[in-house]
Amino acid sequence: MAIIEVVFPQIKNDPESIKGALAQIPIGVKAFKEGGALRTAQGFLVAENGTDVTSDSREILLLEWPTESAFHEFIKSQAFGTFKAAIKPFSSGPPELNLFETNAGAHLFDTYTLGLLLLTPKDASNVPTILEMIQSGLEKAAESGVVFGSSLNLPQKKIGIFRAFASKEELHNPKNVASMQEIRKDLGDLADITQIVADIKSVPM
């Protein structure tokens, strides 16, 4: 089991704000380390639902926490408050924090292309069914290295499916494209699906 957090910072879309926000990353990393985070990765969205969003400079942070309680303690900590204050002048709004309980996901924190499916079930009671369908589909396709799980901190449940690719070329090879299409086809009636591609790099702790 792993506790994986996906953060979508809401940064003003102008060069100075983006530069200013990136300059605060060392403060954030120090805060994450003090809060007990095990791993951190940072990057930018490349595409959302097939649309190129590179020019939007939309940041993504990935963190692994030892426990759910460690995440909640961090949110209440002085270190988080310091980081939040440092990045606030460059933000257009509060960050979107998504905390997932997943299978082991340490390999997500390398330098790579991240394929992420965010599923919002149309009926929360379908979450166990969706998770079972994902597990069954991965076993049938003999897929390994896929990380998935449901959210822990959101009023409306989400499910995340994470896949690490060595390059965009690997992401777009026919087998992987077909796999993503199969998931969308199987689960599209049960959940609204957002497909995200991001370039990620590990951040030393």
Side-chain angles (χ1 to χ4, degrees), residues 12-104:
K12 298 173 186 175
N13 191 16
D14 65 81
E16 288 303 312
S17 293
I18 294 167
K19 181 179 178 181
L22 290 176
Q24 309 312 311
I25 287 179
I27 298 175
V29 172
K30 181 175 183 290
F32 301 148
K33 185 175 181 179
E34 289 179 3
L38 302 176
R39 298 173 184 84
T40 306
Q42 180 268 341
F44 288 91
L45 271 61
V46 173
E48 182 173 358
N49 293 330
T51 299
D52 188 329
V53 295
T54 307
S55 62
D56 294 344
S57 298
R58 291 165 56 189
E59 190 180 2
I60 181 172
L61 294 172
L62 212 62
L63 297 103
E64 182 177 1
W65 296 97
T67 61
E68 180 185 358
S69 61
F71 162 78
H72 290 294
E73 288 299 317
F74 172 69
I75 294 299
K76 295 184 289 185
S77 71
Q78 182 177 348
F80 177 71
T82 299
F83 176 50
K84 187 177 177 181
I87 205 166
K88 185 175 181 180
F90 314 106
S91 302
S92 59
E96 180 185 333
L97 310 180
N98 301 269
L99 193 71
F100 296 95
E101 182 177 17
T102 70
N103 51 313

Side-chain angles (χ1 to χ4, degrees), residues 106-117:
H107 62 283
L108 295 177
F109 293 84
D110 293 323
T111 299
Y112 66 99
T113 296
L114 172 70
L116 171 61
L117 292 180

